[in-house]
Amino acid sequence: MDSSYEIKISPHFWLRRLHSLSGIFPIGAFLVEHMLSNALIVKGPEAYNNQIEFLSGLPYVLWLEIFFIYLPILYHAFYGFYVAFTGRNNLAWYPYRANWLYSLQRWTGLIAFVYIFYHAYHTRGVNLLYGTEVDFARMAQFMKDPRILAFYITGLAAVMFHFANGIWGFLVSWGITIGPRSQKAAGAVCALVGLSLFVIGVNSLLHLARA
Amino acid sequence: MGEKKTVRLKVKRQEGPKAKPYWEAFDIPYRPYMNVIICLKEIQKNPRTFDGRKTSPVAWESSCLEEVCGICTMVINGKARQACSALVDPLGEEITIEPMRKFPVVRDLVVDRAVLFENLKKVRAWVSIDGTHAIGPGPRVNPEQQQKDYVLSTCFSCGCCLDVCPQVGEGTGFMGAMTISQVRLFNDHPLGKMNAGERLEALMGPGGIEDCGNSQNCVKACPKNIPLVTSIAEVNRQITKKIFGFLGK
């Protein structure tokens, strides 16, 4: 009967919450670590190469990569595509600020996926497949090509927007920021975080291009 | 005074649920302070298109004419709102009128919003008080809480928040902001609280709260200024607490 009460929690509920969480941890946490490691580029080739050596020398490094980087990113990306395809963009009717952020979150997710795939192939894939040495010199050579540099900066912008706006969404989706005041404050903090990481990233790229 | 001023009304029409929609334009004699309902009544009096062709009268629904019943909601100049409170003056001399986008069209501007009631039933948006014997008066609600709840209780199920939501549609079956806000209202109520768990679990099911995409169009569109984004975040918090409850089991 209609009034009978039965528990019918859908898998989508858990998967969507997991999607939200995975963007913060481990993906967001890795992103911050990645940007800070890259920032060593500013200190010169030696500091950067030492950091690469330290990270690739971590015990169980491949397992760490698989469980804390590759699988979470693949899950986040493909479940994100599914979520994006369930919605229908309506900016033409309602061009509000938050509605722009909604659409941008989906578009930057797609750009970020293409960028990360390309980036991971050329920095990690080639090493795993062909044993190519990935170091300061190789990255500097990449960034000397203005097309690659422009692609990297675009990709970085997409990733940082997606991350910053994603933290904001996470705070609402988990009921941490509830009222308009806390949501506004969170918006300012998230924007600052995203912008800072973007500047740090671009600075590293430009150092490589000039090296 | 020069020649008589008119307002051009472009109406998206549809003869039946499966018929193909088409547009018709009407010229309505202008009156100061007129609203969209008055325009539609003018068409009803003499259903002729702007070029004098006789046509069928446009079908629409309205009741209270004071923005508290929600039945005359339609898409006016691209935005979902009530026709009774849509004054013609700020809308310009050419006004486009369409049926709501997220509900099946019955005829012209009449849509079938039965799904809203089905959603409210799914989340049990009521207070259960029926019993076999009197159990005395319920607990009191403090005035501060009453103020908050009053705003939530002004929702009249017009469906604007669903119409504007990019997540509402066949892809999700999302129940929309109004349903979530009603869960907040009844979970706040001292007796409604008794069924809080059932309401939250309904929102963890198909078409539930996880289909929200944070576009926040709902709060912009709500004619009653209900803080819908706050309601969604508040219910999200209640569900997060519930998740930790599950994890401990």
Side-chain angles (χ1 to χ4, degrees), chain A residues 27-43:
Chain A
I27 301 171
F30 165 69
L31 180 67
V32 172
E33 179 278 316
H34 192 28
M35 287 299 112
L36 295 179
S37 289
N38 285 356
L40 286 166
I41 287 167
V42 178
K43 293 201 147 198

Side-chain angles (χ1 to χ4, degrees), chain A residues 11-34:
Chain A
H12 177 60
F13 172 80
W14 296 109
L15 295 173
R16 187 73 174 85
R17 283 265 169 149
L18 186 64
H19 181 255
S20 173
L21 180 65
S22 67
I24 305 296
F25 184 85
I27 301 171
F30 165 69
L31 180 67
V32 172
E33 179 278 316
H34 192 28

Side-chain angles (χ1 to χ4, degrees), chain A residues 132-158:
Chain A
T132 312
E133 180 91 16
V134 177
D135 57 4
F136 189 96
R138 182 176 158 85
M139 294 315 293
Q141 201 192 347
F142 268 131
M143 294 315 142
K144 295 257 185 318
D145 185 338
R147 287 170 306 176
I148 296 184
L149 182 65
F151 180 56
Y152 263 69
I153 291 175
T154 311
L156 204 59

Side-chain angles (χ1 to χ4, degrees), chain A residues 194-209:
Chain A
L195 211 58
S196 309
L197 288 174
F198 179 65
V199 169
I200 291 171
V202 169
N203 195 30
S204 305
L205 289 174
L206 293 179
H207 263 79
L208 284 171

Side-chain angles (χ1 to χ4, degrees), chain A residues 81-149:
Chain A
F81 291 148
Y82 164 71
V83 169
F85 281 117
T86 62
R88 287 282 171 275
N89 168 327
N90 61 9
L91 273 178
W93 303 329
Y94 303 104
Y96 307 138
R97 198 187 70 94
N99 201 21
W100 267 102
L101 296 179
Y102 166 89
S103 291
L104 281 171
Q105 186 68 1
R106 278 137 186 86
W107 297 334
T108 54
L110 181 62
I111 298 170
F113 179 74
V114 174
Y115 164 70
I116 291 169
F117 189 84
Y118 171 88
H119 166 68
Y121 173 75
H122 282 286
T123 54
R124 200 72 190 93
V126 289
N127 179 270
L128 290 170
L129 293 171
Y130 316 114
T132 312
E133 180 91 16
V134 177
D135 57 4
F136 189 96
R138 182 176 158 85
M139 294 315 293
Q141 201 192 347
F142 268 131
M143 294 315 142
K144 295 257 185 318
D145 185 338
R147 287 170 306 176
I148 296 184
L149 182 65

Side-chain angles (χ1 to χ4, degrees), chain B residues 49-106:
Chain B
T49 58
F50 75 103
D51 49 3
R53 190 170 53 81
K54 209 162 165 38
T55 184
S56 56
V58 175
W60 86 95
E61 289 180 301
S62 67
S63 176
C64 75
L65 301 183
E66 54 178 4
E67 206 189 66
V68 292
C69 81
I71 197 77
C72 68
T73 307
M74 50 189 78
V75 176
I76 300 169
N77 279 357
K79 306 265 187 290
R81 57 186 297 189
Q82 281 73 52
C84 64
S85 55
L87 293 176
V88 162
D89 287 328
L91 291 172
E93 281 172 19
E94 191 172 293
I95 303 166
T96 62
I97 304 203
E98 300 160 71
M100 295 180 84
R101 297 164 175 127
K102 300 290 170 76
F103 305 102
V105 172
V106 177

